[in-house]
Amino acid sequence: MEDDLTRQMGQSNRVAHPAIRLIPEPVYMHVLSDDQVGGDHCDLSKGFVFQLENKASRSKKENKALKSLIAIMKGQLEETLGFNGIKGVVKAGVKQKSGDNHLIAIQLELNPKLSWQHGATDLNLKQSEEGYQLKVSSGTINIAARTSNGLYYGLQSLLQLISADNSHVIPALEIEDFPQYSWRGFMLDVSRHFYSVEEIKKLLNVMSRYKLNVFHWHLTDDQGWRLQIKRYPKLTSVGAWRQEIPGSVFFNKRPDTLKGKPYRYGGFYTQQQAKEIVRYAALRGITVIPEIELPGHSEAALAAYPAFSSSGQPQTVANSMGYPKGAVSEYNPGNPATFTFLENILDEVMDIFPSHYIHLGGDEVDKTNWKNNASCLGLMKKEGLKNYEELQSYFINKIGDYLEQHGRRIICWDEALEGNLLPSATITYWRSWAKKAPLKAVSNGHPFINVCSDPLYLNRYQAGPEGEPLAAPHSMNTLERVYGYQMMPSGFTPAQQKLVLGGQAAIWTEFFGTNSGMEYMLLPRLLALAENLWSPEKAKDYPAFYQALPRELKMLGAAGYNYRQLDK
């Protein structure tokens, strides 16, 4: 392991120090030589103490939030060091007690006017709000940032500087760092398979270590509705459960494995649990974006409340064997009560999730039933809608208008571009074969998030398929392809480039149901995604990144994460 860490790391934008390679790689890092101010190293082996600047300039709410953040940072630093090193939190300038002079002072500085000396451009000035400056000397560690999230990210870099072999000595250095994209996300589908609150928190922990800041929570789909809505209890008493068959696998019908009696599968998050996830994520710099699918992929909701479907007929929640005869997965836009139903749901969703954005899906809508529905045809005639794509846009825009009245904005998958979508809607691009969709999105003024399935869908094979667990076969999304993928589509003008918020990876869970299986598909590709979205192009170096992975994978394994072993 030590040999891996001390090999030559290649060319970068920092003074070479063979034992240091962070993930994601910072904008700027300079290791101080022995004769420079601050000495050559900092020894944390005997303990440390947090120091804060005068808190008088902050509100009580800000100080309360900062106190909670410091508690999180305290726990993470103690866990990494392997001992309880916190002796208290004091204001800057307060002398330590007699006998505590050996403690390393970790100074936390919140400075909204903090200036940047390296790498700032017109495109990333907004992202610099998440940046930090980290300075390490023989007796002091200083983390300065404009925001509390920046302080947290500075700590994540400090944690990586503490080597995996339990050495508490780190070199004196200076880091200046901020992300290249403001949207650095990961989406998890919990409809096909349900993950517990503790499993979600474990996922958030690994996301935050590598400075990812958006958790896109795919909460509803044909195979399960996963969020408690108090006004409509059947969404969870009916829609959260399905009849599964032992041995069945989505999209891979294997009659030889189908043994035993059908069993009830599912689960849901109470509103209290969802709020706890939101709070837990926020303390780690992560915003939770809920996805409530409409107008399609809604069979679970319509099994609970069939009156709002295009057929109005009873049906069951879809399972891994496919859609039963007569199943309807889309809402009926010709029924005014459909919109009342969805607005009431979204009122509760907005109460749970304070995020600026709410994802509405909008993908893969089966419009067959609309074509045979008198109320849909009547609505199209009344509103002057020329085709069923415009009917889809009418549906999404009506819900989008409602959310905008409440200060929110909508996100949709790129199929929503097929009609006349609200200009304020943000597009998550996933269809790798829809080559014109990215340019169409930004040409129409839509903010843009790159989730291109090839290579950012991490439910697809990363190697093999021989010797690998069952996965989606559509493309081979290797670690190196995730790392090297160009998040900024080519051919955009500078104005269009500013509409690109960033990117995210996604895992759809048709092919694996355990948390261990999900983590195997996630790691180490999530680390490649993190560096792709955070680090400037000149700092990216795949061989150096690959050689730094063993250190991080060793730490992740010790923390109980499952991951795919690196190829020899």
Side-chain angles (χ1 to χ4, degrees):
M1 179 65 68
E2 186 61 28
D3 288 341
D4 289 333
L5 295 175
T6 55
R7 290 175 189 164
Q8 176 61 41
M9 294 300 181
Q11 298 299 315
S12 74
N13 60 322
R14 54 181 166 81
V15 174
H17 191 290
I20 297 178
R21 212 301 181 171
L22 302 184
I23 299 176
E25 179 73 343
V27 170
Y28 170 84
M29 179 158 59
H30 176 79
V31 179
L32 301 175
S33 60
D34 293 355
D35 58 352
Q36 289 179 292
V37 176
D40 62 346
H41 70 273
C42 177
D43 187 352
L44 285 162
S45 63
K46 294 183 179 179
F48 55 91
V49 58
F50 277 132
Q51 292 184 341
L52 292 173
E53 82 280 14
N54 195 315
K55 61 182 182 180
S57 60
R58 297 187 297 272
S59 67
K60 289 184 178 179
K61 183 178 180 180
E62 289 172 326
N63 280 318
K64 183 178 179 181
L66 188 56
K67 183 178 180 180
S68 297
L69 174 67
I70 291 173
I72 298 296
M73 294 168 67
K74 168 185 180 293
Q76 291 181 347
L77 194 51
E78 287 178 348
E79 183 176 358
T80 301
L81 290 169
F83 68 90
N84 187 333
I86 304 293
K87 301 298 181 180
V89 178
V90 298
K91 297 178 183 178
V94 177
K95 294 182 179 180
Q96 297 173 24
K97 295 180 180 179
S98 176
D100 282 351
N101 292 330
H102 61 276
L103 297 178
I104 297 298
I106 300 179
Q107 300 171 341
L108 303 178
E109 177 187 349
L110 270 179
N111 180 5
K113 297 182 179 180
L114 190 69
S115 61
W116 308 104
Q117 305 301 317
H118 303 278
T121 69
D122 289 341
L123 282 177
N124 60 25
L125 283 177
K126 180 180 179 181
Q127 290 87 287
S128 66
E129 294 302 307
E130 295 183 275
Y132 66 92
Q133 293 174 354
L134 174 62
K135 297 180 181 180
V136 178
S137 64
S138 60
T140 302
I141 296 172
N142 179 268
I143 304 175
R146 291 180 177 179
T147 64
S148 58
N149 282 355
L151 291 179
Y152 184 81
Y153 294 143
L155 176 75
Q156 301 315 303
S157 292
L158 178 62
L159 295 180
Q160 285 195 43
L161 291 169
I162 301 169
S163 60
D165 61 358
N166 295 323
S167 172
H168 299 156
V169 178
I170 55 178
L173 52 73
E174 295 178 354
I175 293 176
E176 183 170 290
D177 198 16
F178 49 83
Q180 302 309 295
Y181 291 103
S182 60
W183 189 287
R184 306 179 306 282
F186 172 70
M187 189 218 80
L188 179 65
D189 161 30
V190 297
S191 178
R192 278 57 179 242
H193 282 290
F194 181 75
Y195 295 85
S196 70
V197 170
E198 290 308 311
E199 288 167 339
I200 297 293
K201 287 182 177 181
K202 189 180 178 188
L203 170 63
L204 294 171
N205 289 342
V206 75
M207 285 178 63
S208 71
R209 178 173 175 87
Y210 303 105
K211 305 180 176 75
L212 295 171
N213 67 347
V214 176
F215 176 48
H216 175 178
W217 206 0
H218 187 81
L219 286 162
T220 74
D221 214 301
D222 295 326
Q223 291 79 17
W225 180 286
R226 302 288 177 226
L227 181 67
Q228 179 191 29
I229 301 297
K230 295 178 180 179
R231 186 159 183 166
Y232 300 109
K234 287 184 179 180
L235 285 172
T236 46
S237 65
V238 174
W241 306 93
R242 62 179 187 254
Q243 288 296 308
E244 274 299 353
I245 303 174
S248 59
V249 179
F250 281 90
F251 308 133
N252 188 47
K253 307 304 182 295
R254 298 171 53 189
D256 60 305
T257 69
L258 303 182
K259 299 177 182 179
K261 295 181 180 180
Y263 64 98
R264 188 171 183 253
Y265 177 85
F268 65 91
Y269 307 97
T270 67
Q271 293 194 7
Q272 183 178 358
Q273 287 174 325
K275 288 178 179 179
E276 169 60 17
I277 290 293
V278 169
R279 186 198 68 82
Y280 188 91
L283 285 172
R284 290 155 180 81
I286 298 173
T287 299
V288 181
I289 307 294
E291 181 174 356
I292 306 297
E293 273 273 8
L294 57 86
H297 279 294
S298 302
E299 187 176 340
L302 296 173
Y305 294 94
F308 305 116
S309 73
S310 297
S311 72
Q313 299 300 312
Q315 62 183 50
T316 58
V317 179
N319 64 17
S320 61
M321 296 303 292
Y323 295 89
K325 185 178 180 179
V328 176
S329 61
E330 71 286 341
Y331 291 105
N332 179 12
N335 180 2
T338 298
F339 294 101
T340 301
F341 173 70
L342 289 169
E343 288 169 3
N344 289 338
I345 289 172
L346 290 168
D347 284 344
E348 295 192 34
V349 170
M350 286 187 284
D351 183 59
I352 299 166
F353 299 94
S355 57
H356 180 66
Y357 296 101
I358 293 177
H359 205 300
L360 296 182
D363 61 308
E364 300 178 326
V365 180
D366 182 356
K367 304 177 180 70
T368 303
N369 289 291
W370 288 357
K371 298 175 183 179
N372 302 314
N373 184 285
S375 63
C376 289
L377 297 174
L379 177 65
M380 292 177 70
K381 182 177 181 180
K382 176 183 176 183
E383 298 294 334
L385 305 176
K386 301 181 183 65
N387 52 50
Y388 296 98
E389 284 67 40
E390 289 192 4
L391 179 59
Q392 174 178 299
S393 289
Y394 171 87
F395 193 115
I396 294 172
N397 291 348
K398 189 172 178 66
I399 296 297
D401 285 337
Y402 181 78
L403 290 173
E404 287 196 0
Q405 293 170 19
H406 292 78
R408 308 301 181 94
R409 291 291 184 270
I410 65 170
I411 306 177
C412 299
W413 297 107
D414 59 80
E415 288 99 323
L417 290 168
E418 293 168 357
N420 300 311
L421 188 63
L422 277 172
S424 59
T426 296
I427 295 298
T428 39
Y429 168 65
W430 77 276
R431 295 180 300 165
S432 58
W433 61 93
K435 303 297 185 183
K436 297 180 180 179
L439 183 58
K440 181 177 181 180
V442 295
S443 296
N444 292 339
H446 296 294
F448 179 88
I449 300 164
N450 202 331
V451 202
C452 184
S453 57
D454 181 5
L456 299 179
Y457 273 20
L458 304 188
N459 51 295
R460 298 185 178 183
Y461 282 106
Q462 53 194 316
E466 295 79 11
E468 291 293 308
L470 185 67
H474 307 91
S475 59
M476 184 65 69
N477 295 347
T478 65
L479 177 71
E480 186 170 6
R481 290 193 67 222
V482 174
Y483 186 92
Y485 178 68
Q486 183 177 322
M487 290 291 175
M488 180 68 70
S490 60
F492 282 13
T493 67
Q496 290 169 339
Q497 289 178 356
K498 289 183 178 180
L499 289 170
V500 179
L501 304 182
Q504 66 181 45
I507 279 186
W508 304 92
T509 56
E510 292 96 337
F511 295 96
F512 38 86
T514 66
N515 192 58
S516 177
M518 185 269 287
E519 290 176 354
Y520 181 89
M521 302 301 289
L522 184 69
L523 302 169
R525 288 186 288 183
L526 187 75
L527 282 67
L529 173 80
E531 185 150 315
N532 191 329
L533 289 165
W534 181 283
S535 303
E537 286 299 320
K538 65 181 180 180
K540 292 177 184 175
D541 181 339
Y542 182 72
F545 164 81
Y546 194 83
Q547 290 191 14
L549 281 176
R551 175 199 72 217
E552 289 302 300
L553 294 179
K554 178 180 178 181
M555 183 281 302
L556 291 170
Y561 290 89
N562 187 32
Y563 59 87
R564 185 180 186 273
Q565 296 285 345
L566 298 176
D567 295 324
K568 301 298 183 183

